[in-house]
Amino acid sequence: MKYHYIPAFVMLLAGLVCCILSVVQGWPVQMSLIVLIIVLLVFYIIGQIAAQVIGKVYAERIAMVEAEKKRLEAEEERRRIQREEQERDAQMRNSTGESLDPDE
């Protein structure tokens, strides 16, 4: 719900621009109000769409970050296990008397 105020902000900003234009252009009050209502409705819908798009993009970004974090953790765990296996193999070789140096 972080994006709850986006539609209202977009709508009110468009309404402000519409009011300023109607005063500057010298439109009659009835025409100005009709245009204002239409502008407010259209830009409220646009704001709703924008808020949903922003919310989805943000949610996808969070999901991607979490997936990347899990992938890195799994990779680190795989490396740790591989390192432990190598250490265990080295200890087994040392305890059985095998040489680590291939030239010997």
Side-chain angles (χ1 to χ4, degrees):
M1 286 311 268
K2 291 181 182 181
Y3 311 108
H4 180 69
Y5 297 110
I6 290 175
F9 179 74
V10 170
M11 178 183 73
L12 290 175
L13 188 62
L16 176 66
V17 171
C18 180
C19 288
I20 292 171
L21 286 176
S22 66
V23 169
V24 169
Q25 295 292 326
W27 295 346
V29 174
Q30 189 174 8
M31 182 177 154
S32 296
L33 290 176
I34 291 171
V35 170
L36 180 63
I37 288 172
I38 292 170
V39 166
L40 291 177
L41 288 174
V42 168
F43 278 92
Y44 182 77
I45 293 169
I46 291 172
Q48 285 286 353
I49 293 169
Q52 289 180 2
V53 168
I54 291 170
K56 286 182 182 181
V57 167
Y58 184 74
E60 287 176 6
R61 180 179 172 271
I62 294 295
M64 286 177 57
V65 167
E66 289 297 320
E68 181 67 16
K69 186 186 289 185
K70 286 181 182 179
R71 185 190 67 78
L72 290 174
E73 288 173 358
E75 187 176 318
E76 184 63 32
E77 180 68 18
R78 183 183 54 81
R79 286 181 185 161
R80 185 187 60 79
I81 291 171
Q82 190 176 29
R83 192 174 34 237
E84 288 175 356
E85 288 175 356
Q86 288 174 350
E87 290 173 359
R88 198 171 347 149
D89 289 344
Q91 288 176 353
M92 294 280 271
R93 279 189 225 130
N94 287 339
S95 66
T96 59
E98 290 182 18
S99 175
L100 294 178
D101 189 9
D103 294 334
E104 289 182 12

